Amino acid sequence: MLLLADKITNLTAARYFAARGASWLFFDQALISVPQIHAIREWVEGPKVGLYLPLGVQDADRDLLENLGPDGIMIGHFGEAHYLPESVTVFKEWRLEPGDDQNTIAEWIADWPQANHHLIRCEGRSIQDVQVDLEGLSENLRSLLILSINPQMLDDISGISGYCLIAPNEEVVGLLSFDAIDEAIDRIEDKIAF
C-alpha cells in the first residue's frame, strides 16, 4: 500500500509524513522553490521524492528535472506524455467530474500506458460517489489506482494501490495540525500493513 504526501511546502510536514511511513513526498514548484526542496531532502530520509508537473514535461522542466533528480514525477490531468524521463516513476493525475464513471477511468488508463500509477483526485466528492466510480473496474485496473481523498473518506475502499493525502499548509493556518491525517493513517494501518 503506497502512501503519498502531496503539496509538501515545509520541513515539518515532510518529517511528519516520513515518520508515518509515507512512500513518496510530492513537491509542486508553484508552492516551493528548488533550494527549499533540496534542503528538505537533506533533512528527511525514507520517502522517495516526486515533482508535480501540471502540464507534463515542458522544455523548461528538463533542467529542473536534471537539477532536482526526483525519483518520480506526477503529470497533471491535462499534461501530455512528451519527454518523459525513462529513469523515474510516472504518476498520472486525473480529476473526476460529475458524470465520469469507471469506463472513463479505464479509457484514461489505457491512453497512458507510460504511467506506473494513476492518481484519481477525489477531494470534495462523497465516498459513495467514489465507490460507484470504481466498482466496475477490473482488479488489474484498480491495482494501478491511488486515490487522493479527504482524510475522512478512507473507509471501505479496497483493491487500490494506495492513498494520497494533502499536507497541511503552514503559511495558511499559522501552525500545523495533523489530527485528521493521523486518524486517516491509523485507519490505513489497521486495514493493511505497509
Side-chain angles (χ1 to χ4, degrees):
M1 176 69 63
L2 293 175
L3 175 61
L4 279 62
D6 196 15
K7 302 195 184 337
I8 299 291
T9 60
N10 55 72
L11 180 60
T12 303
R15 291 180 74 179
Y16 166 81
F17 280 106
R20 289 305 312 253
S23 310
W24 288 85
L25 301 178
F26 271 92
F27 298 91
D28 183 341
Q29 192 185 7
L31 304 174
I32 188 170
S33 71
V34 172
Q36 289 172 309
I37 296 170
H38 280 300
I40 289 173
R41 286 180 91 173
E42 290 178 19
W43 282 93
V44 177
E45 291 185 17
K48 295 180 179 178
V49 170
L51 185 63
Y52 178 68
L53 300 171
L55 299 176
V57 180
Q58 306 296 309
D59 288 335
D61 299 320
R62 292 184 195 179
D63 288 338
L64 172 65
L65 289 171
E66 188 172 311
N67 181 25
L68 187 58
D71 302 300
I73 56 174
M74 185 182 303
I75 305 298
H77 182 88
F78 296 107
E80 299 291 331
H82 306 298
Y83 314 118
L84 294 179
E86 293 181 18
S87 60
V88 299
T89 302
V90 176
F91 295 78
K92 179 64 172 114
E93 171 194 58
W94 302 108
R95 296 183 180 267
L96 289 174
E97 298 291 334
D100 290 340
D101 59 15
Q102 62 268 16
N103 294 325
T104 304
I105 297 169
E107 289 171 11
W108 288 343
I109 291 172
D111 288 343
W112 265 82
Q114 313 88 323
N116 303 94
H117 301 282
H118 294 265
L119 181 91
I120 306 293
R121 295 267 183 208
C122 302
E123 297 96 344
R125 303 188 72 222
S126 74
I127 190 69
Q128 294 80 15
D129 287 344
V130 173
Q131 287 174 326
V132 167
D133 291 339
L134 301 181
E135 69 186 12
L137 290 177
S138 70
E139 270 187 52
N140 186 42
L141 292 182
R142 286 175 72 102
S143 70
L144 299 172
L145 298 181
I146 297 170
L147 299 184
S148 180
I149 59 179
N150 298 323
Q152 305 87 323
M153 291 177 52
L154 283 171
D155 296 328
D156 302 318
I157 299 176
S158 61
I160 59 172
S161 65
Y163 293 99
C164 177
L165 299 173
I166 308 246
N169 190 336
E170 187 175 39
E171 289 74 26
V172 172
V173 297
L175 56 93
L176 294 178
S177 172
F178 293 98
D179 294 343
I181 294 172
D182 265 339
E183 291 175 21
I185 293 174
D186 288 343
R187 286 198 304 268
I188 293 171
E189 289 175 342
D190 286 344
K191 288 181 178 185
I192 298 170
F194 282 107

